[in-house]
Amino acid sequence: MIKVVRGNPTPEELAAALAVVQARAAAAAAAAPGQVIPDEWADPARTIPSGRVPHPGPKAWRTSFWPA
């Protein structure tokens, strides 16, 4: 059920909004059932501080772990 909370949409505007919602729902249902989209919180890159990304070079392995 969709409820208009604010405003007074015309029937055409309401039909356009419902078409978008139906298209998004159809696209989500058409996605492969075995395909799992990883959660952004599970991304390991999120835990790397932005200023401490190791760069190639001598002893670069040290900057990947040791605190500054």
PDB file of all heavy atoms in Angstrom, residues 2-31:
ATOM      1  N   ILE A   2       0.534   2.192  -0.824  1.00  0.00           N
ATOM      2  CA  ILE A   2       1.272   3.453  -0.892  1.00  0.00           C
ATOM      3  C   ILE A   2       0.337   4.567  -0.457  1.00  0.00           C
ATOM      4  O   ILE A   2      -0.810   4.637  -0.899  1.00  0.00           O
ATOM      5  CB  ILE A   2       1.807   3.705  -2.311  1.00  0.00           C
ATOM      6  CG1 ILE A   2       2.837   2.625  -2.635  1.00  0.00           C
ATOM      7  CG2 ILE A   2       2.402   5.089  -2.432  1.00  0.00           C
ATOM      8  CD1 ILE A   2       3.467   2.758  -3.974  1.00  0.00           C
ATOM      9  N   LYS A   3       0.860   5.406   0.400  1.00  0.00           N
ATOM     10  CA  LYS A   3       0.050   6.486   0.940  1.00  0.00           C
ATOM     11  C   LYS A   3       0.750   7.807   0.651  1.00  0.00           C
ATOM     12  O   LYS A   3       1.941   7.966   0.929  1.00  0.00           O
ATOM     13  CB  LYS A   3      -0.098   6.296   2.448  1.00  0.00           C
ATOM     14  CG  LYS A   3      -0.884   7.363   3.145  1.00  0.00           C
ATOM     15  CD  LYS A   3      -0.953   7.050   4.640  1.00  0.00           C
ATOM     16  CE  LYS A   3      -1.655   8.134   5.397  1.00  0.00           C
ATOM     17  NZ  LYS A   3      -1.686   7.850   6.839  1.00  0.00           N
ATOM     18  N   VAL A   4       0.015   8.769   0.103  1.00  0.00           N
ATOM     19  CA  VAL A   4       0.561  10.103  -0.145  1.00  0.00           C
ATOM     20  C   VAL A   4       0.413  10.886   1.151  1.00  0.00           C
ATOM     21  O   VAL A   4      -0.687  11.117   1.634  1.00  0.00           O
ATOM     22  CB  VAL A   4      -0.182  10.804  -1.306  1.00  0.00           C
ATOM     23  CG1 VAL A   4       0.351  12.211  -1.504  1.00  0.00           C
ATOM     24  CG2 VAL A   4      -0.058   9.994  -2.575  1.00  0.00           C
ATOM     25  N   VAL A   5       1.554  11.284   1.711  1.00  0.00           N
ATOM     26  CA  VAL A   5       1.546  11.956   3.003  1.00  0.00           C
ATOM     27  C   VAL A   5       1.429  13.459   2.845  1.00  0.00           C
ATOM     28  O   VAL A   5       0.754  14.133   3.614  1.00  0.00           O
ATOM     29  CB  VAL A   5       2.831  11.606   3.793  1.00  0.00           C
ATOM     30  CG1 VAL A   5       2.881  12.351   5.105  1.00  0.00           C
ATOM     31  CG2 VAL A   5       2.902  10.116   4.024  1.00  0.00           C
ATOM     32  N   ARG A   6       2.083  13.988   1.831  1.00  0.00           N
ATOM     33  CA  ARG A   6       2.077  15.431   1.654  1.00  0.00           C
ATOM     34  C   ARG A   6       1.899  15.748   0.172  1.00  0.00           C
ATOM     35  O   ARG A   6       2.437  15.087  -0.691  1.00  0.00           O
ATOM     36  CB  ARG A   6       3.397  16.014   2.135  1.00  0.00           C
ATOM     37  CG  ARG A   6       3.428  17.529   2.100  1.00  0.00           C
ATOM     38  CD  ARG A   6       4.743  18.072   2.584  1.00  0.00           C
ATOM     39  NE  ARG A   6       4.894  17.779   4.000  1.00  0.00           N
ATOM     40  CZ  ARG A   6       6.001  17.949   4.685  1.00  0.00           C
ATOM     41  NH1 ARG A   6       7.080  18.383   4.079  1.00  0.00           N
ATOM     42  NH2 ARG A   6       6.064  17.681   5.953  1.00  0.00           N
ATOM     43  N   GLY A   7       1.171  16.771  -0.124  1.00  0.00           N
ATOM     44  CA  GLY A   7       0.970  17.194  -1.501  1.00  0.00           C
ATOM     45  C   GLY A   7      -0.283  16.582  -2.102  1.00  0.00           C
ATOM     46  O   GLY A   7      -1.011  15.823  -1.462  1.00  0.00           O
ATOM     47  N   ASN A   8      -0.536  16.949  -3.335  1.00  0.00           N
ATOM     48  CA  ASN A   8      -1.703  16.466  -4.042  1.00  0.00           C
ATOM     49  C   ASN A   8      -1.273  16.092  -5.457  1.00  0.00           C
ATOM     50  O   ASN A   8      -1.436  16.877  -6.388  1.00  0.00           O
ATOM     51  CB  ASN A   8      -2.791  17.557  -4.057  1.00  0.00           C
ATOM     52  CG  ASN A   8      -4.104  17.023  -4.566  1.00  0.00           C
ATOM     53  OD1 ASN A   8      -4.277  15.830  -4.697  1.00  0.00           O
ATOM     54  ND2 ASN A   8      -5.027  17.932  -4.851  1.00  0.00           N
ATOM     55  N   PRO A   9      -0.703  14.882  -5.644  1.00  0.00           N
ATOM     56  CA  PRO A   9      -0.209  14.518  -6.969  1.00  0.00           C
ATOM     57  C   PRO A   9      -1.355  14.270  -7.943  1.00  0.00           C
ATOM     58  O   PRO A   9      -2.437  13.818  -7.559  1.00  0.00           O
ATOM     59  CB  PRO A   9       0.568  13.229  -6.716  1.00  0.00           C
ATOM     60  CG  PRO A   9      -0.073  12.641  -5.515  1.00  0.00           C
ATOM     61  CD  PRO A   9      -0.511  13.813  -4.688  1.00  0.00           C
ATOM     62  N   THR A  10      -1.080  14.565  -9.180  1.00  0.00           N
ATOM     63  CA  THR A  10      -2.049  14.266 -10.236  1.00  0.00           C
ATOM     64  C   THR A  10      -2.015  12.758 -10.490  1.00  0.00           C
ATOM     65  O   THR A  10      -1.057  12.077 -10.101  1.00  0.00           O
ATOM     66  CB  THR A  10      -1.695  15.014 -11.533  1.00  0.00           C
ATOM     67  OG1 THR A  10      -0.437  14.527 -12.006  1.00  0.00           O
ATOM     68  CG2 THR A  10      -1.621  16.521 -11.310  1.00  0.00           C
ATOM     69  N   PRO A  11      -3.036  12.224 -11.128  1.00  0.00           N
ATOM     70  CA  PRO A  11      -3.006  10.787 -11.436  1.00  0.00           C
ATOM     71  C   PRO A  11      -1.788  10.395 -12.279  1.00  0.00           C
ATOM     72  O   PRO A  11      -1.230   9.311 -12.112  1.00  0.00           O
ATOM     73  CB  PRO A  11      -4.307  10.559 -12.190  1.00  0.00           C
ATOM     74  CG  PRO A  11      -5.224  11.632 -11.716  1.00  0.00           C
ATOM     75  CD  PRO A  11      -4.331  12.810 -11.449  1.00  0.00           C
ATOM     76  N   GLU A  12      -1.341  11.270 -13.167  1.00  0.00           N
ATOM     77  CA  GLU A  12      -0.178  10.979 -13.995  1.00  0.00           C
ATOM     78  C   GLU A  12       1.099  10.918 -13.149  1.00  0.00           C
ATOM     79  O   GLU A  12       1.950  10.060 -13.345  1.00  0.00           O
ATOM     80  CB  GLU A  12      -0.014  12.030 -15.101  1.00  0.00           C
ATOM     81  CG  GLU A  12      -1.115  12.015 -16.148  1.00  0.00           C
ATOM     82  CD  GLU A  12      -2.368  12.775 -15.714  1.00  0.00           C
ATOM     83  OE1 GLU A  12      -2.299  13.563 -14.733  1.00  0.00           O
ATOM     84  OE2 GLU A  12      -3.411  12.564 -16.336  1.00  0.00           O
ATOM     85  N   GLU A  13       1.252  11.850 -12.206  1.00  0.00           N
ATOM     86  CA  GLU A  13       2.425  11.850 -11.338  1.00  0.00           C
ATOM     87  C   GLU A  13       2.442  10.601 -10.443  1.00  0.00           C
ATOM     88  O   GLU A  13       3.489   9.980 -10.248  1.00  0.00           O
ATOM     89  CB  GLU A  13       2.442  13.109 -10.459  1.00  0.00           C
ATOM     90  CG  GLU A  13       2.682  14.378 -11.223  1.00  0.00           C
ATOM     91  CD  GLU A  13       2.500  15.621 -10.371  1.00  0.00           C
ATOM     92  OE1 GLU A  13       1.757  15.568  -9.371  1.00  0.00           O
ATOM     93  OE2 GLU A  13       3.116  16.646 -10.713  1.00  0.00           O
ATOM     94  N   LEU A  14       1.285  10.237  -9.947  1.00  0.00           N
ATOM     95  CA  LEU A  14       1.197   9.048  -9.103  1.00  0.00           C
ATOM     96  C   LEU A  14       1.498   7.789  -9.910  1.00  0.00           C
ATOM     97  O   LEU A  14       2.210   6.900  -9.437  1.00  0.00           O
ATOM     98  CB  LEU A  14      -0.195   8.963  -8.478  1.00  0.00           C
ATOM     99  CG  LEU A  14      -0.376   7.987  -7.337  1.00  0.00           C
ATOM    100  CD1 LEU A  14       0.635   8.223  -6.228  1.00  0.00           C
ATOM    101  CD2 LEU A  14      -1.785   8.066  -6.785  1.00  0.00           C
ATOM    102  N   ALA A  15       1.024   7.733 -11.149  1.00  0.00           N
ATOM    103  CA  ALA A  15       1.309   6.585 -12.001  1.00  0.00           C
ATOM    104  C   ALA A  15       2.795   6.500 -12.330  1.00  0.00           C
ATOM    105  O   ALA A  15       3.375   5.403 -12.360  1.00  0.00           O
ATOM    106  CB  ALA A  15       0.487   6.675 -13.288  1.00  0.00           C
ATOM    107  N   ALA A  16       3.440   7.642 -12.549  1.00  0.00           N
ATOM    108  CA  ALA A  16       4.876   7.649 -12.836  1.00  0.00           C
ATOM    109  C   ALA A  16       5.667   7.175 -11.622  1.00  0.00           C
ATOM    110  O   ALA A  16       6.611   6.382 -11.754  1.00  0.00           O
ATOM    111  CB  ALA A  16       5.321   9.051 -13.247  1.00  0.00           C
ATOM    112  N   ALA A  17       5.289   7.607 -10.447  1.00  0.00           N
ATOM    113  CA  ALA A  17       5.985   7.181  -9.227  1.00  0.00           C
ATOM    114  C   ALA A  17       5.796   5.678  -9.003  1.00  0.00           C
ATOM    115  O   ALA A  17       6.749   4.970  -8.646  1.00  0.00           O
ATOM    116  CB  ALA A  17       5.464   7.966  -8.024  1.00  0.00           C
ATOM    117  N   LEU A  18       4.612   5.177  -9.232  1.00  0.00           N
ATOM    118  CA  LEU A  18       4.368   3.747  -9.065  1.00  0.00           C
ATOM    119  C   LEU A  18       5.122   2.926 -10.102  1.00  0.00           C
ATOM    120  O   LEU A  18       5.589   1.826  -9.806  1.00  0.00           O
ATOM    121  CB  LEU A  18       2.869   3.458  -9.153  1.00  0.00           C
ATOM    122  CG  LEU A  18       2.054   3.938  -7.948  1.00  0.00           C
ATOM    123  CD1 LEU A  18       0.571   3.700  -8.186  1.00  0.00           C
ATOM    124  CD2 LEU A  18       2.504   3.245  -6.692  1.00  0.00           C
ATOM    125  N   ALA A  19       5.265   3.455 -11.310  1.00  0.00           N
ATOM    126  CA  ALA A  19       6.026   2.749 -12.345  1.00  0.00           C
ATOM    127  C   ALA A  19       7.481   2.613 -11.940  1.00  0.00           C
ATOM    128  O   ALA A  19       8.107   1.567 -12.161  1.00  0.00           O
ATOM    129  CB  ALA A  19       5.902   3.490 -13.673  1.00  0.00           C
ATOM    130  N   VAL A  20       8.038   3.648 -11.329  1.00  0.00           N
ATOM    131  CA  VAL A  20       9.428   3.590 -10.873  1.00  0.00           C
ATOM    132  C   VAL A  20       9.572   2.556  -9.755  1.00  0.00           C
ATOM    133  O   VAL A  20      10.504   1.753  -9.752  1.00  0.00           O
ATOM    134  CB  VAL A  20       9.903   4.985 -10.399  1.00  0.00           C
ATOM    135  CG1 VAL A  20      11.239   4.894  -9.692  1.00  0.00           C
ATOM    136  CG2 VAL A  20       9.968   5.940 -11.569  1.00  0.00           C
ATOM    137  N   VAL A  21       8.642   2.545  -8.824  1.00  0.00           N
ATOM    138  CA  VAL A  21       8.707   1.584  -7.721  1.00  0.00           C
ATOM    139  C   VAL A  21       8.579   0.158  -8.256  1.00  0.00           C
ATOM    140  O   VAL A  21       9.312  -0.744  -7.837  1.00  0.00           O
ATOM    141  CB  VAL A  21       7.601   1.886  -6.681  1.00  0.00           C
ATOM    142  CG1 VAL A  21       7.500   0.771  -5.655  1.00  0.00           C
ATOM    143  CG2 VAL A  21       7.872   3.217  -6.004  1.00  0.00           C
ATOM    144  N   GLN A  22       7.671  -0.056  -9.194  1.00  0.00           N
ATOM    145  CA  GLN A  22       7.512  -1.396  -9.775  1.00  0.00           C
ATOM    146  C   GLN A  22       8.748  -1.821 -10.551  1.00  0.00           C
ATOM    147  O   GLN A  22       9.159  -2.981 -10.493  1.00  0.00           O
ATOM    148  CB  GLN A  22       6.296  -1.433 -10.690  1.00  0.00           C
ATOM    149  CG  GLN A  22       4.987  -1.454  -9.940  1.00  0.00           C
ATOM    150  CD  GLN A  22       3.791  -1.474 -10.875  1.00  0.00           C
ATOM    151  OE1 GLN A  22       3.864  -1.031 -12.004  1.00  0.00           O
ATOM    152  NE2 GLN A  22       2.678  -1.986 -10.371  1.00  0.00           N
ATOM    153  N   ALA A  23       9.371  -0.898 -11.280  1.00  0.00           N
ATOM    154  CA  ALA A  23      10.574  -1.230 -12.038  1.00  0.00           C
ATOM    155  C   ALA A  23      11.718  -1.608 -11.105  1.00  0.00           C
ATOM    156  O   ALA A  23      12.466  -2.555 -11.370  1.00  0.00           O
ATOM    157  CB  ALA A  23      10.974  -0.057 -12.929  1.00  0.00           C
ATOM    158  N   ARG A  24      11.873  -0.895 -10.002  1.00  0.00           N
ATOM    159  CA  ARG A  24      12.923  -1.221  -9.040  1.00  0.00           C
ATOM    160  C   ARG A  24      12.673  -2.577  -8.392  1.00  0.00           C
ATOM    161  O   ARG A  24      13.586  -3.360  -8.177  1.00  0.00           O
ATOM    162  CB  ARG A  24      13.013  -0.146  -7.946  1.00  0.00           C
ATOM    163  CG  ARG A  24      13.444   1.224  -8.395  1.00  0.00           C
ATOM    164  CD  ARG A  24      14.921   1.292  -8.650  1.00  0.00           C
ATOM    165  NE  ARG A  24      15.701   0.836  -7.525  1.00  0.00           N
ATOM    166  CZ  ARG A  24      16.537   1.563  -6.832  1.00  0.00           C
ATOM    167  NH1 ARG A  24      16.719   2.820  -7.144  1.00  0.00           N
ATOM    168  NH2 ARG A  24      17.220   1.053  -5.834  1.00  0.00           N
ATOM    169  N   ALA A  25      11.416  -2.859  -8.074  1.00  0.00           N
ATOM    170  CA  ALA A  25      11.082  -4.144  -7.466  1.00  0.00           C
ATOM    171  C   ALA A  25      11.332  -5.284  -8.451  1.00  0.00           C
ATOM    172  O   ALA A  25      11.825  -6.347  -8.071  1.00  0.00           O
ATOM    173  CB  ALA A  25       9.633  -4.146  -6.993  1.00  0.00           C
ATOM    174  N   ALA A  26      10.998  -5.069  -9.721  1.00  0.00           N
ATOM    175  CA  ALA A  26      11.217  -6.105 -10.739  1.00  0.00           C
ATOM    176  C   ALA A  26      12.708  -6.341 -10.943  1.00  0.00           C
ATOM    177  O   ALA A  26      13.149  -7.482 -11.120  1.00  0.00           O
ATOM    178  CB  ALA A  26      10.553  -5.703 -12.045  1.00  0.00           C
ATOM    179  N   ALA A  27      13.511  -5.277 -10.917  1.00  0.00           N
ATOM    180  CA  ALA A  27      14.955  -5.424 -11.087  1.00  0.00           C
ATOM    181  C   ALA A  27      15.558  -6.174  -9.912  1.00  0.00           C
ATOM    182  O   ALA A  27      16.457  -7.005 -10.080  1.00  0.00           O
ATOM    183  CB  ALA A  27      15.608  -4.064 -11.239  1.00  0.00           C
ATOM    184  N   ALA A  28      15.087  -5.919  -8.720  1.00  0.00           N
ATOM    185  CA  ALA A  28      15.600  -6.619  -7.540  1.00  0.00           C
ATOM    186  C   ALA A  28      15.199  -8.085  -7.573  1.00  0.00           C
ATOM    187  O   ALA A  28      15.974  -8.959  -7.174  1.00  0.00           O
ATOM    188  CB  ALA A  28      15.086  -5.957  -6.269  1.00  0.00           C
ATOM    189  N   ALA A  29      14.004  -8.380  -8.052  1.00  0.00           N
ATOM    190  CA  ALA A  29      13.549  -9.764  -8.127  1.00  0.00           C
ATOM    191  C   ALA A  29      14.261 -10.523  -9.238  1.00  0.00           C
ATOM    192  O   ALA A  29      14.433 -11.734  -9.151  1.00  0.00           O
ATOM    193  CB  ALA A  29      12.040  -9.805  -8.355  1.00  0.00           C
ATOM    194  N   ALA A  30      14.680  -9.813 -10.288  1.00  0.00           N
ATOM    195  CA  ALA A  30      15.350 -10.458 -11.411  1.00  0.00           C
ATOM    196  C   ALA A  30      16.808 -10.777 -11.113  1.00  0.00           C
ATOM    197  O   ALA A  30      17.431 -11.539 -11.841  1.00  0.00           O
ATOM    198  CB  ALA A  30      15.268  -9.569 -12.647  1.00  0.00           C
ATOM    199  N   ALA A  31      17.357 -10.205 -10.060  1.00  0.00           N
ATOM    200  CA  ALA A  31      18.749 -10.492  -9.698  1.00  0.00           C
ATOM    201  C   ALA A  31      18.866 -11.976  -9.368  1.00  0.00           C
ATOM    202  O   ALA A  31      17.934 -12.601  -8.887  1.00  0.00           O
ATOM    203  CB  ALA A  31      19.174  -9.653  -8.497  1.00  0.00           C
TER     204      ALA A  31
END
